[in-house]
Amino acid sequence: MTENTQQQPASNPELPTQYVPAEVEGKLYERWVERGYFEADEKSEKPPFTVVIPPPNVTGSLHLGHAFEHTLIDAVTRRKRMQGYETLWQPGMDHAGIATQNVVERELAKEGKSRHDLGREAFVERVWKWKGESGGQISGQMRRLGDGVAWSRERFTMDEGLSKAVQTIFKKLYDDELIYRAERIINWCPRCLTAISDIEVEYQDDDGELVSLKYGEGEDSVVVATTRAETMLGDTAVAVHPDDERYAHLVGKRIKLPLTDRTIPVVADTHVDPEFGTGAVKVTPAHDPNDFEIGRRHDLPNITVMDERAVITVPGPFEGLDRMEARSAIVAALRAEGRIVAEKRPYTHSVGHCSRCKTTIEPRLSLQWWVKVGPLAKAAGDAVRDDRVTIHPKEMESRYFGWVDNLHDWCISRQLWWGHRIPVWYGPNGETVCVGPDDEPPAGEGWTQDTDVLDTWFSSGLWPFSTLGWPEQTPSVEKFYPNSIMITGYDILFFWVARMMMFGLYAMDGTPPFGTIVLHGMVRDQFGKKMSKSFGNAVNPLDWMDKYGSDAVRFTLARGANPGIDVPIGEDWVQGSRNFANKVWNATRFAMMNGATVEGPLPDAADMSATDRWILSRLNAVVAEVDAYYEDYQFAKLSDSLFHFAWDEVFDWYVELSKTTFIDGGAAAKVSGRVLGEVLDVTLRLLHPIVPFVTETLWTTLTGKESVVVADWPADSGFRDVAAEREIEHLQQVITEVRRFRSDQGLQPGQKVPARLDLTGTPLAAHEAAIRQLLRLQPEGEGFHATATLPVEGATVALDLSGTIDVEAERKRLTKDLGAAEKEKAQATAKLGNEAFLAKAPDNVVDKIRGRLTKAETDIERLTAQLAGLPQG
């Protein structure tokens, strides 16, 4: 905790009676940006702290997932800035190849045109025009949320600098023989008309059909099963296991392929599981990745039976049919020939879909560009294994290793026009030339550039260093690489994090792109269900910001952020966070009106009351606790700690306990006013990274200083007063118990009751005025008659309830409740003493009964005390 010795508080600071976020947030944010608080200087001698924004798609808008992730990153960077780091939160956007091209193609379709009508160059110009006019709306929405990013450094994955980085690393990988071109089975989207990577395929259970077909005749026949009957037109073999005696006589023979004029061989391959189905499988090398490998081992031909739109191209009756139409037609034709042995419909099985447009993926043999990921993936795994990079939470490491240790070569070419075009030229005599950014492309007749573009993840994999000016060794690269931390969702651990690890280690001489990977969960609705427009539970965070303020949305998200765990969120929780912001506002305003100040040094502990020493002791403990939670990325716990400290301890207890001091005035009031000012100053600074807007307004008004954004982060001064903490805990117990008794007697909170307090010999004697104030207890006066006596923690509180309650009716009510509690205790005790019951009952049932027993015992103790406190006679 730091002492404020140079404050210049505003004279008679005033705050509006209500906090209205809409009147504050936009103006504050623009002021922060104008003053350059979020910019980062590579010439600074401060230690660097760097984090990049997971680049949102240029087509995107702020959704709850963004708001969640950005809140966490912003909280970390705001704290680091306050701690004295040269903090860079690097903003930017991804060009989102497939998604952006789809958006612009839909616009063209409204005009009755396609991209082919425009041609490649004009189409790309059209996309840039769309980007300038409509893309990037999320930038404005990030400002609404309060993102403290260095806007002057904003980058785009297709800008000149990043394009140079892409071309540089492509050339380097190509020269190191880590990029190659080959025919392989890829995931093809017939709608987007491009290859997509394995991680862009979403699998779901679809209802299809499983058809068993007979190939060959008589003893030379074999039955195979398939869910994609249309691919049989491309079969070039049937495979069986080498040890399967049922088919030993067929291995090496050729059998007739139905509906064609071809015969195909029966081959023996260990890939076949003899226990699955008939133990025989059809082999279609051009349309299945496993079949492709069988085909390579047995030198089988690859027959492609569909074009890029999944339309059948094999001459004959099925030519021109869509794959789904062909499936039905082929099954019908096979049925007519008596080739259908069995049909199962519906047959539910896992089917891959394009993550962009949801079209069913078609495995397809295609000539593509690939990254040989073996050595790159090993380096990415080793960096975590040898602790150069830490994954948080640690249990996510196994998912990371499960991916990088089994990574297949990465298909990086996409059949699109929007994106980084592959920098390879083909010559008229079969030449292939890869061109770096400083090379001149080959010229002359017959030279053409590859028409494909690179996978979007190829450029975003360079993000931690390309945004800093690499491949040039810029001052920013020297200052801010490697990044300090990467905060992102576990759902893109494979899409993005693994790519950044591979490229960072490769391009930056073995230096990982970041030291720590912090993985968070997904935002879900309040019932734990995934948010989706189709489910009708998707939420636009901007609507909540309009209604409750950005701070309320941020605080709600942070309070749900447990490492690696999904975050449920509902509107009522945002309302609760709005109430918290209002509580902070109202309580701070009240405190400032009643003497809270930051002028001068803190008083000596000897001049403070126990209440003052208690709150300062608790304040320092909370500073230490919050720091520990930040270092462990426990956002939910640190938010909860701050919530309860601010609301419960500062506002509900310290402010209330100090009211009589402020009313009385004098030296004690000045001491408490300075203590309260210190507590507010530190608490607002602790809260600022999570709820920046309300804290900025309150802190600048309280202190008269420029901005909490550039204030010092509080430090634990080490001040602790265990005795004061015990004394105030004792006081709280007394007040809480009497309040509970009053409530049980049906007394209204503001109803005054005559009382005699016997606090002799306890530290509570000094707090009598506060106890009476908080409990609405009047002096006993003449005619006082103690109708109820409460022994509480060594003190005695005698109340005169005559005229306020019907004693006999209250005795009957309490006696009835006591009987019920005793019955509940007896029943729970009997069950827990029954060995047969305990042996059979589930753990959760036993735990529930134990809880009932504990509650019953507590109720008995409370009710017995209340009955004893009632007047006799």
Side-chain angles (χ1 to χ4, degrees):
M1 189 170 62
T2 58
E3 291 191 1
N4 297 300
T5 58
Q6 299 178 348
Q7 288 86 353
Q8 297 176 351
S11 57
N12 300 317
E14 292 185 2
L15 289 165
T17 55
Q18 285 187 318
Y19 176 55
V20 183
E23 296 177 1
V24 171
E25 294 177 348
K27 295 175 185 176
L28 281 185
Y29 190 83
E30 290 309 312
R31 186 189 307 161
W32 292 335
V33 173
E34 288 168 6
R35 292 179 177 177
Y37 292 154
F38 305 138
E39 296 303 323
D41 181 5
E42 57 264 16
K43 297 177 183 177
S44 168
E45 294 183 0
K46 296 178 181 178
F49 182 85
T50 317
V51 59
V52 294
I53 194 170
N57 288 350
V58 67
T59 58
S61 59
L62 190 76
H63 56 63
L64 265 179
H66 289 129
F68 174 53
E69 183 168 82
H70 290 200
T71 293
L72 304 187
I73 300 174
D74 197 39
V76 169
T77 53
R78 284 178 182 268
R79 174 174 175 261
K80 286 295 183 181
R81 189 177 294 112
M82 295 171 75
Q83 287 181 312
Y85 287 82
E86 192 61 31
T87 302
L88 169 60
W89 183 9
Q90 173 67 53
M93 285 185 294
D94 192 284
H95 66 278
I98 296 176
T100 305
Q101 180 157 319
N102 282 347
V103 168
V104 178
E105 285 196 275
R106 283 196 294 269
E107 284 193 355
L108 286 174
K110 295 175 185 176
E111 302 169 14
K113 297 178 182 177
S114 73
R115 61 177 160 132
H116 300 284
D117 294 323
L118 272 67
R120 183 169 193 141
E121 186 175 337
F123 176 76
V124 171
E125 287 180 5
R126 177 71 176 257
V127 179
W128 277 109
K129 181 174 182 287
W130 175 87
K131 190 258 182 187
E133 294 173 352
S134 306
Q137 63 173 315
I138 196 171
S139 294
Q141 296 164 347
M142 287 164 58
R143 287 173 161 84
R144 283 285 313 278
L145 188 64
D147 285 5
V149 300
W151 286 113
S152 69
R153 293 172 172 263
E154 187 174 13
R155 303 304 297 268
F156 180 54
T157 50
M158 285 284 286
D159 69 26
E160 184 178 352
L162 271 67
S163 295
K164 182 177 182 180
V166 168
Q167 196 171 350
T168 298
I169 201 162
F170 186 99
K171 170 71 170 171
K172 180 175 170 58
L173 288 163
Y174 182 88
D175 289 346
D176 288 345
E177 298 184 350
L178 292 173
I179 281 184
Y180 64 94
R181 195 179 190 218
E183 269 198 327
R184 297 282 188 275
I185 294 289
I186 48 91
N187 303 299
W188 182 264
C189 176
R191 161 62 185 80
C192 297
L193 299 180
T194 182
I196 63 174
S197 65
D198 291 344
I199 51 180
E200 293 172 300
V201 179
E202 293 179 349
Y203 288 90
Q204 67 184 48
D205 288 340
D206 288 355
D207 284 340
E209 59 181 352
L210 180 66
V211 182
S212 297
L213 316 174
K214 186 178 75 170
Y215 289 6
E217 302 293 344
E219 292 184 358
D220 291 345
S221 67
V222 63
V223 174
V224 298
T226 182
T227 58
R228 300 161 66 215
E230 68 280 6
T231 63
M232 60 87 59
L233 298 174
D235 286 358
T236 55
V238 169
V240 297
H241 194 275
D243 299 331
D244 194 335
E245 295 181 0
R246 293 173 296 175
Y247 302 114
H249 68 289
L250 283 178
V251 175
K253 290 187 177 181
R254 301 184 69 87
I255 58 177
K256 178 77 164 56
L257 179 65
L259 306 183
T260 73
D261 58 2
R262 293 190 291 118
T263 60
I264 57 176
V266 177
V267 300
D269 195 281
T270 54
H271 171 75
V272 180
D273 180 1
E275 303 299 322
F276 183 77
T278 63
V281 296
K282 58 191 288 297
V283 182
T284 320
H287 291 277
D288 183 273
N290 293 321
D291 292 5
F292 177 77
E293 296 302 326
I294 293 175
R296 290 215 296 183
R297 288 193 289 272
H298 297 277
D299 198 24
L300 300 173
N302 301 314
I303 300 177
T304 300
V305 300
M306 298 177 216
D307 66 11
E308 61 183 8
R309 298 182 184 276
V311 171
I312 301 298
T313 56
V314 177
F318 312 111
E319 185 176 9
L321 294 180
D322 169 82
R323 58 182 165 167
M324 301 304 176
E325 297 171 333
R327 183 175 299 171
S328 299
I330 287 170
V331 169
L334 289 167
R335 188 182 297 112
E337 285 194 5
R339 294 286 175 179
I340 302 293
V341 175
E343 294 179 75
K344 186 175 183 180
R345 189 184 298 112
Y347 177 72
T348 303
H349 60 131
S350 182
V351 177
H353 296 261
C354 173
S355 62
R356 305 290 182 183
C357 68
K358 311 309 176 188
T359 301
T360 299
I361 288 299
E362 188 62 42
R364 184 170 187 257
L365 185 64
S366 182
L367 182 62
Q368 302 284 346
W369 286 94
W370 304 80
V371 172
K372 188 183 296 183
V373 300
L376 303 176
K378 182 181 184 304
D382 289 345
V384 174
R385 287 189 170 94
D386 62 23
D387 295 326
R388 282 176 290 155
V389 178
T390 301
I391 294 179
H392 187 88
K394 190 173 179 61
E395 53 265 28
M396 286 288 180
E397 278 187 3
S398 60
R399 296 182 65 169
Y400 177 78
F401 291 136
W403 179 256
V404 298
D405 292 348
N406 299 284
L407 201 55
H408 300 296
D409 284 0
W410 173 19
C411 177
I412 55 171
S413 45
R414 299 291 180 267
Q415 290 64 55
L416 304 170
W417 286 358
W418 174 244
H420 297 100
R421 195 163 173 183
I422 288 176
V424 172
W425 270 255
Y426 306 111
N429 299 311
E431 304 96 331
T432 299
V433 176
C434 180
V435 176
D438 299 321
D439 301 332
E440 286 293 328
E445 186 177 349
W447 283 92
T448 58
Q449 185 178 359
D450 195 297
T451 57
D452 288 351
V453 300
L454 287 162
D455 178 10
T456 297
W457 297 103
F458 191 94
S459 52
S460 58
L462 312 179
W463 194 246
F465 49 95
S466 64
T467 51
L468 299 174
W470 187 89
E472 308 302 327
Q473 191 60 24
T474 64
S476 287
V477 170
E478 293 179 6
K479 178 73 174 180
F480 296 114
Y481 188 88
N483 292 185
S484 308
I485 191 173
M486 167 54 56
I487 299 179
T488 191
Y490 65 68
D491 57 315
I492 58 172
L493 177 63
F494 316 129
F495 282 87
W496 189 41
V497 176
R499 311 296 192 208
M500 288 187 290
M501 286 285 284
M502 290 192 296
F503 281 168
L505 289 159
Y506 173 74
M508 306 302 283
D509 299 321
T511 302
F514 24 73
T516 303
I517 301 167
V518 178
L519 298 172
H520 59 72
M522 310 283 286
V523 178
R524 298 182 177 272
D525 71 12
Q526 63 195 52
F527 305 109
K529 190 174 182 180
K530 182 179 178 180
M531 285 191 173
S532 166
K533 289 181 181 178
S534 60
F535 294 157
N537 63 349
V539 172
N540 183 347
L542 297 170
D543 292 341
W544 281 353
M545 288 185 219
D546 289 341
K547 200 169 181 181
Y548 305 110
S550 297
D551 283 337
V553 174
R554 290 171 62 114
F555 195 66
T556 304
L557 291 166
R559 285 194 81 183
N562 290 296
I565 298 174
D566 289 346
V567 183
I569 184 172
E571 186 169 1
D572 54 336
W573 303 341
V574 186
Q575 291 175 2
S577 295
R578 186 269 317 273
N579 295 344
F580 176 64
N582 288 342
K583 179 78 170 181
V584 174
W585 180 275
N586 294 333
T588 303
R589 180 174 178 274
F590 171 84
M592 291 171 64
M593 291 171 61
N594 285 273
T597 179
V598 294
E599 284 191 275
L602 276 173
D604 292 336
D607 296 329
M608 296 181 192
S609 68
T611 310
D612 295 332
R613 297 194 306 276
W614 161 72
I615 198 63
L616 287 177
S617 184
R618 286 293 305 128
L619 177 65
N620 276 284
V622 169
V623 169
E625 186 174 76
V626 168
D627 274 333
Y629 284 144
Y630 262 115
E631 294 305 313
D632 198 33
Y633 310 103
Q634 297 280 359
F635 297 99
K637 290 182 178 178
L638 73 89
S639 299
D640 217 43
S641 177
L642 287 170
F643 174 87
H644 287 295
F645 176 70
W647 191 307
D648 300 343
E649 297 187 79
V650 178
F651 303 140
D652 279 0
W653 281 110
Y654 181 72
V655 171
E656 292 298 319
L657 288 171
S658 301
K659 278 184 178 178
T660 54
T661 303
F662 290 131
I663 291 170
D664 293 342
K670 287 185 178 180
V671 170
S672 292
R674 180 63 190 90
V675 169
L676 181 52
E678 178 76 3
V679 171
L680 291 174
D681 169 21
V682 173
T683 302
L684 291 170
R685 281 186 280 151
L686 289 173
L687 282 167
H688 173 72
I690 305 292
V691 284
F693 295 107
V694 67
T695 52
E696 171 80 340
T697 306
L698 294 173
W699 189 84
T700 53
T701 305
L702 172 69
T703 66
K705 286 190 169 185
E706 179 184 347
S707 174
V708 70
V709 177
V710 290
D712 290 338
W713 180 252
D716 176 9
S717 71
F719 176 81
R720 300 289 192 279
D721 192 324
V722 176
E725 289 194 36
R726 287 176 179 165
E727 181 174 328
I728 301 306
E729 286 173 10
H730 188 182
L731 174 62
Q732 290 171 330
Q733 289 169 351
V734 170
I735 292 173
T736 300
E737 189 61 33
V738 177
R739 278 178 172 165
R740 183 183 294 120
F741 180 80
R742 285 178 56 108
S743 176
D744 289 341
Q745 305 307 317
L747 297 177
Q748 294 301 313
Q751 189 173 351
K752 294 182 179 180
V753 177
R756 177 189 301 136
L757 305 184
D758 183 2
L759 309 175
T760 306
T762 74
L764 299 183
H767 302 283
E768 180 167 350
I771 293 173
R772 287 189 177 275
Q773 169 72 21
L774 292 176
L775 291 173
R776 304 294 189 268
L777 302 180
Q778 295 176 318
E780 51 193 280
E782 292 185 16
F784 177 82
H785 177 59
T787 59
T789 303
L790 301 177
V792 186
E793 299 295 331
T796 302
V797 180
L799 305 174
D800 184 354
L801 302 179
S802 56
T804 61
I805 62 170
D806 183 333
V807 175
E808 285 308 310
E810 185 63 17
R811 180 175 283 110
K812 287 181 180 178
R813 183 184 72 82
L814 292 173
T815 301
K816 180 180 178 182
D817 290 348
L818 179 61
E822 289 172 337
K823 182 179 180 181
E824 176 74 3
K825 177 184 176 180
Q827 290 176 341
T829 301
K831 283 190 175 181
L832 293 173
N834 186 332
E835 293 297 333
F837 169 77
L838 293 176
K840 295 179 180 179
D843 289 345
N844 64 320
V845 173
V846 175
D847 288 343
K848 187 175 181 180
I849 293 172
R850 288 197 179 108
R852 284 167 48 192
L853 176 59
T854 300
K855 183 179 183 304
E857 289 173 340
T858 301
D859 288 344
I860 290 169
E861 183 179 353
R862 175 177 56 83
L863 293 165
T864 301
Q866 290 174 15
L867 278 166
L870 290 175
Q872 301 299 314

